[in-house]
Amino acid sequence: MEMAGSMAERDVKHFAPTVDDDDRLAQLGHVQELQRNYSIWSLGSLCLCLMATWEALSSVIATALTTGGAPCLFFNLLISVVCTIAIACSLGEIASIYPTAGGQYHWVAALSPPSSRATASWFTGWINVGGQIVLTASAAFAAGLQIQGLIIMNDNAYVPARWQGLLLYWAVLIYAAAINIWGAKVLPTANLLSGVLHVSGFLAIVVTLGVMAPKNTASFVFTEVSNTSGWSSDGISWLVGLLSSVYPLLGYDAACHLAEELPHASRNVPIAMIGSVTVNVILGVGYCIMLLFSTGPLDVLLATPTGFPFMQIFLDATRSAPGATIMSLIITFTAIAATVAGVTSTSRTLWAFARDKATPFDRYFAHVNHSSHIPVRAVVLITILQMLLGFIYLGNSTAFNAILSMSILGIYASYLIPIVYFMIYGRPKLVKQEFGPFKLPKSLGLGLNLLSCCWLVLCIVFSTFPTFMPVTPQNMNYSIVVMVGWLVLGGIYYMVLGRKKFEVPVVDREARGF
């Protein structure tokens, strides 16, 4: 009897979290279809690699030096850090109340008044899906072109062709799709290993640069502001440089979209979001300082044949192509891991959107494979759409970059909308028992919400500005054009068909005892 009792106790400890999560999901209007295979560590690692903060800083270093010099990147990063933590806390509090794969659009549906619920929820989901698609595509594109850059660095006779970059981009996407479909059981472990690479790679590169790279002065890093962007106003140029500090801090909402694959989601999703942001912030600030101390002349960085200034920095530091290659591969492998994580997160968002009949062919794309418990069709669709974007790069790289630049607009807009609704309709009206385990004090929470909204609006506005002046067809920032086009396309579908079948997710308050 004692043995039976201990076995029953073990069973309760093992299964109780899933039952609680399933009940909460049912209260939010859905049935558990995915397996809760992720741990807090594997989900946190997924967010770490999807954000890839210190790695992304490597790619934006030249733009930051152009728009305001080293202080532009450093101080903008510090401001971004504070505001990003505020956003993560704001979103984490909402995710703790409504832990579903739909994330932002489901939160808006739960918080909106009936008059605007369907429209606000649908467009939030549409914006979020678009932003995630291009964010993941940008990671794959970076990885593909970095591989091409490494070939250039090691073979002076190699002449890069655009179609070769396209094939490398496709190869990264196909790998990400394959591991999401056929490696689903090992995906949490793979994300955990990628997180280890993310941290250990940071240590390896920082130590190498600290020991081997020639060093700039402290005044260069912290006080010498320079504006070679062409903007007549240093202030505008500085604000345009926000892009350099915002882009490395995108993607932590991935934890929300994996909420149905994680035990104790109401508690663990906010921890994964805020924890991954905190770790990446620490790594990012430390790496930013070391990288700025190690940069060579700006004209040399911009003229590097690899196309990636950070590779030139590594080459100048080590004076060895193999050494610079090994250092660069850490960043490239993380970009590949970010693509895998991005496909995972985006496919769950698309699947949840289809589950609520918000997409074309919703029944088909809401399907979950019965053996792997993965929304395979959503993974395949995401991959195909991203691969099709590659043809735009083949025809016109400016147009392709314009589409990728929509990621900040799409992701930040999908953060802004639910926070605004939560301030207006959520925080004043929800009773204490309706909040999740992660609840901010009222005054602190409201303050973080307001700070988040101000920062998001500021970044959305200046992310549409061209980086360089005078504006030419080649350097024009077309992100707003792409965003408007995406909204018009979605609006047409919504008016013709979407609004007729969209099953707006609502919260069963009676089932939750309210």
Side-chain angles (χ1 to χ4, degrees):
M1 291 179 65
E2 290 179 359
M3 183 179 297
S6 62
M7 291 178 65
E9 183 179 358
R10 286 199 300 271
D11 286 344
V12 169
K13 288 181 179 179
H14 180 74
F15 289 108
T18 303
V19 171
D20 292 344
D21 285 320
D22 293 354
D23 288 345
R24 179 174 284 268
L25 189 60
Q27 293 163 2
L28 299 176
H30 293 299
V31 176
Q32 182 70 41
E33 295 183 76
L34 309 178
Q35 288 187 331
R36 298 186 183 270
N37 293 327
Y38 280 82
S39 67
I40 183 64
W41 294 105
S42 58
L43 182 59
S45 296
L46 181 148
C47 295
L48 279 176
C49 293
L50 183 53
M51 293 175 67
T53 298
W54 71 264
E55 295 90 342
L57 284 169
S58 300
S59 299
V60 301
I61 181 68
T63 301
L65 292 176
T66 300
T67 54
C72 172
L73 179 58
F74 178 70
F75 289 107
N76 277 348
L77 181 62
L78 292 183
I79 298 170
S80 297
V81 160
V82 174
C83 296
T84 299
I85 292 175
I87 298 168
C89 290
S90 298
L91 296 179
E93 187 173 24
I94 308 174
S96 185
I97 305 172
Y98 312 113
T100 74
Q104 292 93 310
Y105 86 87
H106 198 131
W107 305 340
V108 171
L111 295 166
S112 301
S115 58
S116 63
R117 179 174 296 148
T119 303
S121 174
W122 192 92
F123 275 96
T124 301
W126 182 256
I127 292 170
N128 190 23
V129 169
Q132 287 193 62
I133 288 175
V134 296
L135 180 63
T136 305
S138 67
F141 184 62
L145 291 192
Q146 284 170 19
I147 295 172
Q148 198 171 30
L150 289 171
I151 298 173
I152 296 171
M153 186 165 62
N154 289 275
D155 184 1
N156 294 329
Y158 172 65
V159 179
R162 190 174 292 180
W163 65 267
Q164 294 169 340
L166 173 65
L167 292 179
L168 290 170
Y169 166 68
W170 280 356
V172 174
L173 288 174
I174 292 172
Y175 166 77
I179 195 171
N180 267 279
I181 295 172
W182 292 291
K185 292 184 178 180
V186 300
L187 197 54
T189 302
N191 283 309
L192 193 58
L193 293 175
S194 297
V196 172
L197 173 65
H198 176 71
V199 176
S200 60
F202 159 81
L203 294 173
I205 291 179
V206 165
V207 170
T208 302
L209 291 178
V211 173
M212 302 186 70
K215 299 299 185 295
N216 295 311
T217 62
S219 61
F220 170 83
V221 175
F222 299 114
T223 62
E224 293 180 12
V225 178
S226 62
N227 176 11
T228 57
S229 65
W231 283 96
S232 58
S233 168
D234 290 342
I236 295 295
S237 181
W238 186 287
L239 289 170
V240 170
L242 284 174
L243 180 67
S244 302
S245 61
V246 168
Y247 184 76
L249 293 169
L250 290 177
Y252 44 90
D253 62 305
C256 309
H257 307 299
L258 274 292
E260 296 179 34
E261 298 172 63
L262 177 76
H264 298 298
S266 291
R267 182 196 67 188
N268 288 338
V269 166
I271 293 175
M273 291 177 64
I274 300 170
S276 62
V277 168
T278 303
V279 172
N280 267 337
V281 158
I282 295 171
L283 300 183
V285 172
Y287 181 75
C288 178
I289 295 173
M290 180 56 69
L291 190 66
L292 292 175
F293 270 107
S294 305
T295 58
L298 180 59
D299 56 345
V300 175
L301 298 183
L302 294 175
T304 176
T306 65
F308 290 93
F310 73 84
M311 292 185 184
Q312 188 65 45
I313 294 173
F314 295 165
L315 187 61
D316 292 341
T318 62
R319 297 179 178 83
S320 165
T325 299
I326 293 173
M327 294 172 69
S328 300
L329 279 174
I330 295 173
I331 294 177
T332 303
F333 286 153
T334 305
I336 295 173
T339 305
V340 174
V343 169
T344 304
S345 173
T346 309
S347 63
R348 295 336 186 248
T349 309
L350 177 65
W351 165 75
F353 210 37
R355 178 176 61 180
D356 289 318
K357 299 183 179 181
T359 68
F361 310 106
D362 52 90
R363 291 186 61 185
Y364 183 82
F365 293 115
H367 178 267
V368 175
N369 184 276
H370 298 300
S371 59
S372 64
H373 299 279
I374 296 294
V376 173
R377 295 173 184 176
V379 172
V380 172
L381 176 61
I382 290 296
T383 304
I384 291 174
L385 291 175
Q386 290 167 338
M387 292 181 72
L388 291 176
L389 289 177
F391 286 113
I392 300 176
Y393 168 71
L394 196 61
N396 188 312
S397 60
T398 301
F400 181 73
N401 289 328
I403 293 174
L404 297 187
S405 64
M406 192 194 90
S407 58
I408 292 179
L409 281 175
I411 297 296
Y412 263 27
S414 74
Y415 293 173
L416 176 63
I417 298 171
I419 294 176
V420 170
Y421 272 93
F422 186 66
M423 282 197 302
I424 298 174
Y425 299 106
R427 191 176 298 282
K429 298 182 180 180
L430 293 176
V431 299
K432 182 179 180 180
Q433 293 78 8
E434 288 185 273
F435 283 84
F438 181 75
K439 182 183 183 300
L440 297 169
K442 186 175 181 180
S443 56
L444 175 62
L446 182 59
L448 293 178
N449 293 161
L450 290 171
L451 175 60
S452 300
C453 291
C454 293
W455 177 250
L456 290 167
V457 171
L458 181 69
C459 292
I460 287 173
V461 170
F462 281 98
S463 69
T464 64
F465 280 44
T467 305
F468 301 100
M469 294 292 286
V471 178
T472 66
Q474 287 70 40
N475 67 21
M476 175 62 184
N477 188 338
Y478 295 98
S479 60
I480 188 65
V481 178
V482 177
M483 186 66 176
V484 170
W486 180 249
L487 288 174
V488 169
L489 180 64
I492 293 173
Y493 171 76
Y494 181 72
M495 294 302 297
V496 173
L497 187 60
R499 62 190 178 92
K500 299 177 183 178
K501 63 175 184 175
F502 179 37
E503 294 182 352
V504 185
V506 294
V507 178
D508 187 351
R509 300 183 82 248
E510 291 186 3
R512 298 184 66 181
F514 304 108

